[in-house]
Amino acid sequence: MSNLSQVRKFISDNQKSYRNLLETIEAAAKEAQKQLGDSCILRVYTRGDKQAGTQFKSAGKVLSKIDPPVTNEKIKAIKDIVGLTVVVQYPDQIEVAIQKICENLNNRKARELLPVGAERKQHSGAYFATHAVFQSTDISTLGFLCEVQVKTILHDAWSAKMHDLTYKPQGFLDQRMRLLVEAISQTLEGIEQQSQIARDIIESRQQEALKAARA
């Protein structure tokens, strides 16, 4: 059996377990959206929502992340065979969203692997996102992983635009174009941080005006 066939078989044999884990975390994320409101969590979606119903990372992409020899244990250790995206309004809401999802998962037999407030990083040079990895503790899906990406609105929109380009084979993009994409990503990050400051100033002034009116 080829390495690619082994990856495909593993995903096929365990697709029910992965789907169950994904549905559990998706339910916790959508519950968090209701609790925090759209002013915090704007959208929750899975890979299947943007890939014509295909919830699983392609076998080829999974294989590319594994150093030989390929084993089922190494395949199982891949963090994003299934995944979920949570879109928030502002950067400082990322940790709030992750914490609320964790709270909702307390009784759902899944636990977070990475610490809350994981470092926000530039993903594939195209956008910024915070990654939280959740592991099943249910006996039927023990040890299976699901990655949750938490992104702000602008980075989510930009990653959607750039997805096909940034996942082309290495070297396909002209180096100048790659630098341009990265520069735009940095600019968007700056805008998101500035919008957060603007929100804080506006809310502070609104509170001051309200206090003055009451007085």
Side-chain angles (χ1 to χ4, degrees), residues 100-160:
K100 184 58 68 175
I101 293 170
C102 289
E103 290 174 12
N104 294 337
L105 283 169
N106 280 341
N107 297 319
R108 294 177 185 267
K109 298 183 178 179
R111 64 181 178 87
E112 190 183 17
L113 288 183
L114 297 182
V116 171
E119 181 182 359
R120 197 152 182 249
K121 62 181 181 180
Q122 195 170 18
H123 185 83
S124 302
Y127 63 91
F128 283 79
T130 296
H131 294 222
V133 180
F134 294 87
Q135 182 181 47
S136 172
T137 56
D138 186 87
I139 190 64
S140 63
T141 57
L142 188 63
F144 285 90
L145 305 176
C146 175
E147 181 183 81
V148 176
Q149 286 193 31
V150 188
K151 297 182 286 190
T152 53
I153 299 171
L154 292 182
H155 283 300
D156 182 59
W158 182 241
S159 68

Side-chain angles (χ1 to χ4, degrees), residues 19-38:
R19 288 184 188 278
N20 289 342
L21 175 60
L22 179 61
E23 288 172 2
T24 295
I25 296 173
E26 183 181 13
K30 288 186 174 179
E31 183 179 352
Q33 183 180 18
K34 290 180 180 179
Q35 293 165 331
L36 298 173
D38 290 343

Side-chain angles (χ1 to χ4, degrees), residues 158-215:
W158 182 241
S159 68
K161 283 179 174 291
M162 290 292 100
H163 182 271
D164 288 341
L165 289 177
T166 56
Y167 279 90
K168 295 294 184 183
Q170 188 70 24
F172 181 85
L173 286 180
D174 180 274
Q175 178 64 14
R176 293 171 299 174
M177 181 59 70
R178 190 174 297 279
L179 290 174
L180 176 60
V181 169
E182 292 177 0
I184 294 173
S185 174
Q186 293 283 354
T187 299
L188 293 176
E189 176 67 2
I191 292 172
E192 289 286 35
Q193 295 292 340
Q194 291 167 28
S195 71
Q196 181 175 296
I197 294 172
R199 177 208 63 189
D200 292 343
I201 293 173
I202 291 170
E203 290 181 349
S204 176
R205 289 179 177 175
Q206 287 174 338
Q207 289 298 319
E208 290 174 1
L210 184 59
K211 288 180 182 178
R214 287 175 176 171

Side-chain angles (χ1 to χ4, degrees), residues 70-81:
V70 176
T71 64
N72 285 348
E73 288 73 21
K74 289 183 178 180
I75 301 171
K76 189 176 181 180
I78 299 299
K79 300 172 183 176
D80 61 345
I81 289 180

Side-chain angles (χ1 to χ4, degrees), residues 35-86:
Q35 293 165 331
L36 298 173
D38 290 343
S39 61
C40 180
I41 298 179
L42 188 66
R43 185 183 176 200
V44 175
Y45 65 90
T46 68
R47 183 180 284 120
D49 293 327
K50 64 177 182 178
Q51 291 185 184
T54 303
Q55 296 286 14
F56 300 95
K57 195 176 191 71
S58 71
K61 290 178 182 176
V62 173
L63 181 60
S64 69
K65 293 187 172 186
I66 301 174
D67 293 326
V70 176
T71 64
N72 285 348
E73 288 73 21
K74 289 183 178 180
I75 301 171
K76 189 176 181 180
I78 299 299
K79 300 172 183 176
D80 61 345
I81 289 180
V82 290
L84 184 75
T85 298
V86 176

